[in-house]
Amino acid sequence: MRIALIGNPNVGKSLIFTQLTGVGVEISNYPGTTIEMKSGATCVQRDIHELIDLPGIYTLDGTSEEEVLVRQEIAGGRVDAAIVVMDAGHLERNLYLLLQVAETGIPLVAVVNMIDEAEANGLFIDTGRLAEILGVEVVPAAAIQGRNIAGIMPLAVARARPALVQVPYDTDVEAAIRSLGKTMGASRVQALWALEGIEGHEELREAGKVLAQEIEPPHRMTIHQIIAANRHHMAGRIATQVAGKGAPPRGLDLDRLLLHAWPGIPLLILILGAVLLSVFLLGSYLEGIFTQAFETYVIVPVSGLALPPLAATLTMSVLLAIQAGLAIAFPFVFIFAIFLSVLEDTGYLTRAAFLADRAMHRVGLHGGAVIPMILSFGCNVPAVMAMRTLKTRRERTIASFLVTMVPCSARTVIIAGMVAAFIGIAAAFSVYFIVLGLLLATGLLLTRITPGEQFGMILEIAPLRRPEPKLVAAKSWYRVRDFLFIAFPLLLAGSIVLGLLNYSGMLALFEAFLAPVLEGLLGLPSYAATALVFGILRKEMAFETLVVLAGTADLSAVMTTVQIYTFAVISVLFVPCLSTIAVLSREVGYRTALAVSAYTVALGLLVGMAIHLLFG
C-alpha cells in the first residue's frame, strides 16, 4: 500500500513520519516542482508499505504549489489511504482540512496528536466520540513521547475507510452539486471543485462557473467564501461536541515575556548572543585540546619520518586537512547544531519571528523571514529552501541576498577558529556586527529598488515545549552528518589536489598571478587566494585550506592579526558555497543566484580592502 500523511503545518506530522519509517527515508523532489517529498518504508505484519510525508497545508482547494500537489495526490488515485494528523490544541482548524479529505472518498484514519499538551492546558478530547462522528478510526497520540505511534500504521493498513461525515452546504450549493452530478456525472467533490473553478475538465468547470455566478449575488459572497463558511461551521460544531475544558493550568505564562517588545526583544538579543558566545567558548576550548593532541601524537611523529618528497607533501596535506576538519571545525559545527536544535524544539523560533516583524518590514520582508535567517546560522541551504514560506517574488529576491549573507555554522568555524582563537572574543563579535550592518544596508537598498508589493505576516505560534534530548541529538546528528560525509571528504580530496599542485609548481603560478590583488590591495599572503577559491566548495574549507597551505594550524605564527581578521571577514562575506548557489538557482532562478554571487564577491573584496587601508 502507498499511504500519505497529511495535515496542517506544525502538527507533528514529520515527527510521526520519522518514528514510523526510521532511517530508511528517501528525499526527492516532486516532478516539475521544487517541493521536497519524503518517502519511507514501514513493515506491518511482514508486508512492506510505503509512507509519504506530504507538505503541510491548511486547505485542499488552494492554488499554491503545495496545495495543488497534495490535492492531486489525495484525489488523483496516487495513494491508497491517508493518515490525517491533527493538533489537539487546534482541533477546529485541523478538522477543516480533514472534512475536505473526507470529501474525496479516500480511505483514512485520523490522528489527534499533541494530546499531552492539550491535557496539560486543561483541554480534553473525546476521541471515541470523534470517531463516531467521523466514521473512521481516531488515534489519540503524543508523538514527542512516542505515545500510540506504533498503532497508527496497522490501523491505516487494516481499517482505513472512507469517512461517513458530510458537510451540509447551503441549499443553493447543494442544488448546484446535484445539478452537476445529474448533467455531468460529477461526484460530490468534483462538483465542489468545479464550482470553485480549481479542478475538472473544461466543460465541467464552465458549467460550475455559470452556477457559481448565479449563487454569489444573493449571498453577497464568493462561492469560495460560502463553501468555506459551511465547512468552518461544521468543523466548529464537531469540535464543540468532542472537546472539553478543565481547570486552566496555573503558573507563569512565558509568552507574556517572550511575545512583547519588552522584555521580548532584549531576551531575543540575549539568547542569540549567549548561543554565539557559548559556541565560541566551548568550541575554542575543545579546539585547543584536539589540535594540541593531534599535533603532539600525529603530526610531529609523522613529520620526523624520512619519506620521499611527494609522499611527504601528500601525507602532511592530508594530516593537516584531518586536523583542520575534525580538531578545529567539527567542535564548532557540532555545538552550534545542538543549540539550533534546542531553539527549534522549544518553539522559540516562531516567537523570534513575531518579535522581529516590525523591524523586518523596514528591509522589505516580514517577521516570517526571520525563521530562514535564523536557520542560516546553521546552514544556508535549508534556509534558502525555507524561503518558500515567503509568498511573493519580491520577498524571495530580497531574502536571497540577506539569507546568504548570514554567517552559517561553516562561517562560524572561520570566525571562531581564526578570529576568536587568535585575536579574541570581542574581535569575533565585531565580525557579526560588520555583517549585521551590511545586512541592514543591503536590505534598505533592495527594498527601494526591488519591484513588487509588500505583504504582512500570518504566522502560527508553535507551543512552547521542553526539548527532548533524543530529538535534539537526532536533529544535531542530521546537521553534523552533512559536514562529516560531504564537507570532510571534499576537504581530504581537495588537500590531495592541493598537495599535487603545490608539488608540481602550478599552485605557485596561480598565486603569483593573483599576488598583486591579494598582497597589494588586501594585504594577504598570496596563498590566501587558493584558500578563498576552495572556500566556494564549502565555506569552512577556506580556513582549513589556509591551514594546509600555511603548513601549520597556528596561523598567528605566519600571519599578522590584521591579515587573519581581513581573511576571515572576506571569507564570511565572499560568494556562498556551491550547494547554496545550486539551491538558490533552483528556488529563485539562476539570474538571482548569479546576482547574489557577484554582489557578495564585490562586498567581500571591498570590505577587505577597507580593513587593509585602515589597519594594515
Side-chain angles (χ1 to χ4, degrees):
M1 287 183 69
R2 194 168 189 261
I3 301 172
L5 273 170
I6 180 173
N8 290 177
N10 300 315
V11 296
K13 179 171 55 67
S14 295
L15 177 56
I16 292 174
F17 172 80
T18 301
Q19 292 174 332
L20 291 176
T21 56
V23 296
V25 176
E26 293 183 6
I27 299 177
S28 59
N29 278 8
Y30 280 93
T33 75
T34 59
I35 301 173
E36 281 194 343
M37 172 183 72
K38 291 181 182 178
S39 64
T42 182
C43 182
V44 178
Q45 294 181 348
R46 299 183 181 180
D47 292 326
I48 301 299
H49 303 277
E50 184 182 6
L51 187 63
I52 310 296
D53 184 16
L54 294 176
I57 59 170
Y58 291 104
T59 178
L60 271 185
D61 56 8
T63 56
S64 72
E65 196 174 41
E66 292 86 355
E67 291 162 338
V68 171
L69 185 149
V70 174
R71 182 167 68 241
Q72 292 174 349
E73 283 285 310
I74 295 297
R78 300 180 187 177
V79 293
D80 303 302
I83 300 170
V84 182
V85 183
M86 298 182 287
D87 176 2
H90 301 91
L91 189 61
E92 180 177 341
R93 186 185 64 209
N94 287 227
L95 280 168
Y96 182 91
L97 179 61
L98 184 141
L99 291 173
Q100 288 186 294
V101 176
E103 286 174 338
T104 67
I106 188 172
L108 63 91
V109 297
V111 176
V112 181
N113 192 28
M114 303 182 191
I115 204 80
D116 55 328
E117 294 179 5
E119 291 171 353
N121 289 316
L123 180 64
F124 298 93
I125 308 297
D126 186 347
T127 53
R129 176 62 179 147
L130 181 60
E132 291 177 11
I133 296 171
L134 299 179
V136 297
E137 297 291 335
V138 177
V139 181
I144 202 166
Q145 299 175 353
R147 193 200 305 180
N148 294 337
I149 300 301
I152 294 174
M153 278 302 294
L155 277 178
V157 170
R159 304 183 66 176
R161 56 181 180 269
L164 300 178
V165 66
Q166 182 172 294
V167 179
Y169 290 103
D170 178 271
T171 53
D172 291 334
V173 174
E174 289 287 355
I177 292 171
R178 290 192 297 271
S179 174
L180 291 173
K182 290 178 181 179
T183 59
M184 298 286 180
S187 66
R188 185 175 179 84
V189 70
Q190 288 172 340
L192 282 167
W193 288 348
L195 287 169
E196 294 181 280
I198 57 173
E199 293 288 347
H201 55 79
E202 185 176 351
E203 188 178 354
L204 177 60
R205 287 202 310 273
E206 187 61 34
K209 181 180 178 181
V210 171
L211 290 172
Q213 289 173 343
E214 295 176 0
I215 294 171
E216 289 174 348
H219 293 80
R220 297 183 180 180
M221 298 170 68
T222 66
I223 193 69
H224 298 277
Q225 292 171 330
I226 298 169
I227 292 173
N230 294 154
R231 288 198 190 113
H232 278 298
H233 178 72
M234 182 69 174
R237 195 167 67 188
I238 295 172
T240 301
Q241 293 179 58
V242 302
K245 289 187 176 181
R250 295 183 178 181
L252 176 65
D253 183 3
L254 289 177
D255 278 339
R256 294 190 176 218
L257 301 175
L258 299 177
L259 291 176
H260 290 81
W262 178 262
I265 292 177
L267 282 174
L268 173 62
I269 296 171
L270 183 64
I271 289 170
L272 294 180
V275 167
L276 292 177
L277 182 61
S278 299
V279 170
F280 290 159
L281 294 177
L282 292 173
S284 298
Y285 175 73
L286 294 175
E287 176 199 355
I289 294 175
F290 296 157
T291 302
Q292 185 61 45
F294 198 86
E295 187 83 24
T296 303
Y297 297 108
V298 180
I299 290 182
V300 171
V302 172
S303 62
L305 299 175
L307 297 173
L310 178 58
T313 299
L314 293 179
T315 300
M316 290 308 298
S317 295
V318 170
L319 289 179
L320 286 170
I322 294 173
Q323 182 185 39
L326 296 184
I328 299 176
F330 182 76
F332 295 105
V333 173
F334 182 63
I335 292 169
F336 191 89
I338 291 175
F339 278 111
L340 185 58
S341 298
V342 169
L343 288 177
E344 281 185 333
D345 271 19
T346 56
Y348 184 70
L349 290 185
T350 54
R351 285 154 181 81
F354 180 83
L355 288 170
D357 186 49
R358 181 175 297 180
M360 294 301 293
H361 274 285
R362 297 183 181 276
V363 293
L365 298 171
H366 56 67
V370 167
I371 293 178
M373 292 188 74
I374 291 179
L375 289 177
S376 282
F377 281 105
C379 179
N380 287 167
V381 172
V384 170
M385 295 171 65
M387 294 189 323
R388 296 169 185 168
T389 58
L390 306 177
K391 297 301 182 184
T392 68
R393 174 75 183 180
R394 179 179 190 269
E395 291 174 333
R396 287 193 292 271
T397 299
I398 295 173
S400 297
F401 284 83
L402 303 188
V403 163
T404 52
M405 288 174 65
V406 174
C408 60
S409 59
R411 288 159 165 160
T412 299
V413 170
I414 298 172
I415 297 170
M418 293 185 67
V419 183
F422 297 113
I423 304 176
I425 297 294
F429 270 103
S430 72
V431 177
Y432 283 97
F433 286 123
I434 289 174
V435 174
L436 177 61
L438 293 171
L439 272 170
L440 292 175
T442 302
L444 290 172
L445 173 65
L446 290 173
T447 194
R448 286 167 172 76
I449 65 174
T450 307
E453 189 176 353
Q454 184 171 347
F455 293 91
M457 175 182 69
I458 299 175
L459 179 69
E460 179 181 349
I461 301 295
L464 286 171
R465 301 186 181 98
R466 182 184 293 109
E468 291 290 327
K470 287 184 179 179
L471 296 178
V472 169
K475 285 187 176 182
S476 301
W477 164 246
Y478 288 137
R479 290 189 167 100
V480 170
R481 154 177 96 171
D482 286 342
F483 172 81
L484 291 176
F485 298 121
I486 298 176
F488 192 61
L490 277 176
L491 175 60
L492 290 177
S495 299
I496 294 172
V497 172
L498 280 174
L500 292 172
L501 292 175
N502 189 30
Y503 184 80
S504 66
M506 293 179 64
L507 201 59
L509 292 175
F510 173 74
E511 292 168 356
F513 176 73
L514 292 178
V517 175
L518 269 291
E519 295 176 356
L521 296 179
L522 301 175
L524 295 174
S526 58
Y527 54 78
T530 305
L532 288 173
V533 170
F534 270 79
I536 298 175
L537 296 177
R538 291 276 301 196
K539 298 308 295 183
E540 67 267 46
M541 285 184 68
F543 170 37
E544 295 155 354
T545 304
L546 188 68
V547 170
V548 174
L549 294 173
T552 176
D554 184 10
L555 293 177
S556 61
V558 293
M559 296 174 68
T560 67
T561 55
V562 174
Q563 286 178 321
I564 291 173
Y565 190 84
T566 303
F567 180 87
V569 171
I570 294 174
S571 299
V572 169
L573 294 174
F574 209 59
V575 60
C577 68
L578 282 180
S579 299
T580 302
I581 295 171
V583 174
L584 263 180
S585 299
R586 190 183 69 181
E587 296 289 329
V588 294
Y590 74 93
R591 291 181 180 177
T592 302
L594 288 175
V596 169
S597 301
Y599 177 75
T600 51
V601 168
L603 199 61
L605 294 177
L606 287 173
V607 174
M609 289 170 56
I611 294 172
H612 173 57
L613 290 174
L614 291 173
F615 305 105

